């Protein structure tokens, strides 16, 4: 873990998406934070020790989702499936698929494995799975402000975790999408999909992969803007922000899982559609949702 000294900082951004506004000053206390997102190997040890079964591995109760398509009420998760050619960007279902049998051990669905990806961030984990891991490890999930303060690495109000220039001296400093999303992945940063943690240089606090690679869960409930007193519509669904199709149905199950803030963007974030590989970037995701591009890291607060 890396020590995050705490202090005051300017949270949010006025330059990009509505949900990042308004910029406001926040103070956080010092805490320890996992240097990198929880890996497949680390999560495997947790499952072996506890027998934990992830949300993606459990079929939802049909009584909680009376309006849902029965075909969706099976164990599974959301998997990115790039189209073969350019497509309109008004419907994320063109590149996201609900895949029965997809989970943290089978990230692309039945027949896929995490063999050789032990140092990659674990994915297909819900907010509940992240909380269970944190409790087992004697840790907690960060708040949104703690996460953003740490991700900035001391560079207050900078656009990226390393400064204001996306590719200083032509170097990619995070695992993001190059090319035209969602069909053209040029992989100029060396990776298609997730990358081993620490493949890019750390920020000012010694943290790696704070932006790009995978989104990360926080404890905060999501609101359309930072200031709850300001009115504004919820942000449009972005390329890397699919909804668990079961949560789109009405019923008690859909209401039981509040949206939590996720931070940092992922390897699917692209300038032409989802420029969210920045500390200020934020999105909301249903706590029961799991996808191939959401992970987490933990903290320990100073006692």
């Amino acid at each position: 873990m890396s020590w995050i000294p705490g202090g005051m900082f300017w949270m949010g951004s006025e330059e990009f998406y509505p949900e990042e506004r308004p910029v406001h000053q926040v103070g956080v206390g010092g805490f320890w934070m996992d240097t990198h997102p929880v890996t497949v190997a680390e999560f495997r040890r947790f499952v072996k020790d506890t027998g934990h079964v992830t949300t993606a591995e459990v079929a939802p109760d049909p009584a909680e989702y009376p309006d849902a398509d029965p075909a969706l009420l099976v164990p599974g998760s959301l998997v990115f499936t790039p189209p073969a050619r350019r497509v309109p960007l008004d419907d994320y279902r063109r590149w996201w698929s609900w895949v029965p049998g997809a989970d943290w051990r089978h990230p692309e669905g039945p027949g896929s494995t995490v063999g050789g990806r032990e140092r990659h961030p674990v994915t297909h984990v819900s907010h509940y799975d992240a909380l269970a891991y944190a409790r087992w490890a004697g840790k907690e999930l960060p708040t949104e402000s703690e996460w953003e303060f740490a991700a900035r690495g001391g560079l207050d109000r900078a656009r990226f975790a390393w400064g204001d220039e996306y590719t200083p001296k032509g170097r990619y400093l995070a695992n993001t999408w190059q090319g035209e999303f969602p069909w053209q992945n040029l992989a100029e940063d060396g990776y298609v999909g997730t990358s081993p943690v620490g493949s890019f240089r750390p920020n000012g606090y010694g943290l790696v992969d704070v932006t790009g690679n995978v989104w990360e869960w926080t404890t905060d409930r999501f609101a359309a803007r930072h200031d709850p007193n300001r009115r504004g519509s919820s942000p449009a669904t972005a390329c890397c922000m699919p909804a668990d199709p079961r949560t789109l149905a009405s019923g008690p199950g859909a209401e039981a899982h509040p949206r939590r803030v996720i931070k940092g963007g992922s390897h699917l974030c692209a300038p032409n559609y989802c420029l969210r590989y920045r500390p200020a970037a934020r999105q909301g995701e249903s706590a029961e949702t799991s996808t191939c591009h959401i992970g987490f890291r933990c903290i320990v607060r100073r006692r």
Side-chain angles (χ1 to χ4, degrees):
M1 303 187 83
S2 298
W3 173 247
I4 312 301
M8 300 292 296
F9 77 109
W10 290 97
M11 186 174 182
S13 172
E14 299 283 352
E15 293 185 79
F16 296 93
Y17 300 107
E19 68 270 16
E20 300 168 21
R21 305 169 189 160
V23 174
H24 57 294
Q25 201 165 31
V26 177
V28 298
F31 57 95
W32 293 91
M33 188 175 226
D34 289 344
T35 301
H36 56 72
V38 172
T39 65
V40 168
E42 291 168 332
F43 197 79
R44 179 185 289 145
R45 288 195 291 272
F46 155 65
V47 170
K48 183 177 180 180
D49 187 54
T50 64
H52 179 81
V53 178
T54 62
T55 303
E57 298 171 275
V58 179
D61 182 354
E64 290 193 347
Y65 301 95
D67 297 333
D69 181 348
L72 300 177
L73 297 179
V74 297
S77 192
L78 284 155
V79 175
F80 176 75
T81 307
R85 59 187 64 85
R86 183 180 289 111
V87 297
L89 300 178
D90 58 355
D91 185 355
Y92 64 78
R93 289 172 294 184
R94 292 185 173 98
W95 52 87
W96 281 104
S97 301
W98 174 257
V99 179
D103 56 43
W104 73 272
R105 294 184 182 90
H106 311 97
E108 288 79 51
S112 65
T113 75
V114 288
R117 288 187 268 188
E118 289 80 7
R119 287 283 296 168
H120 287 232
V122 67
T123 56
H124 296 289
V125 286
S126 70
H127 191 261
Y128 305 121
D129 300 323
L131 286 174
Y133 177 96
R135 285 193 293 268
W136 170 79
K139 302 177 182 180
E140 299 176 78
L141 295 183
T143 65
E144 179 182 2
S145 57
E146 287 171 332
W147 191 99
E148 185 170 329
F149 180 87
R152 290 184 176 279
L155 299 179
D156 201 12
R157 307 193 85 161
R159 290 178 179 173
F160 304 103
W162 51 86
D164 289 323
E165 187 179 350
Y166 174 40
T167 53
K169 298 182 179 180
R171 296 178 57 199
Y172 290 101
L173 298 180
N175 179 1
T176 61
W177 184 286
Q178 298 87 49
E180 186 178 340
F181 185 89
W183 68 281
Q184 181 193 51
N185 190 343
L186 300 178
E188 293 173 345
D189 59 8
Y191 298 99
V192 174
T194 59
S195 53
V197 297
S199 296
F200 298 87
R201 76 184 191 191
N203 74 355
Y205 292 146
L207 305 174
V208 297
D209 297 313
V210 286
T211 55
N213 213 357
V214 293
W215 286 93
E216 298 181 17
W217 289 109
T218 73
T219 60
D220 287 49
R221 292 198 179 201
F222 181 76
R225 298 206 177 198
H226 279 302
D227 184 349
N229 296 315
R230 289 185 63 174
R231 300 299 181 186
S233 59
S234 296
T237 299
C239 62
C240 47
M241 201 58 255
D244 184 326
R246 298 170 301 191
T247 66
L248 300 181
S250 62
E255 299 169 358
H257 307 284
R259 295 174 75 195
R260 300 287 179 175
V261 175
I262 56 174
K263 296 283 285 181
S266 80
H267 60 92
L268 297 179
C269 284
N272 73 306
Y273 195 41
C274 179
L275 206 161
R276 287 184 169 89
Y277 36 85
R278 298 171 291 103
R282 59 196 298 269
Q283 287 277 267
E285 187 58 276
S286 168
E288 69 172 344
T289 295
S290 60
T291 76
C292 63
H293 73 333
I294 299 179
F296 68 100
R297 77 178 78 204
C298 303
I299 69 168
V300 173
R301 295 185 180 90
R302 184 169 58 186
R303 293 178 174 86

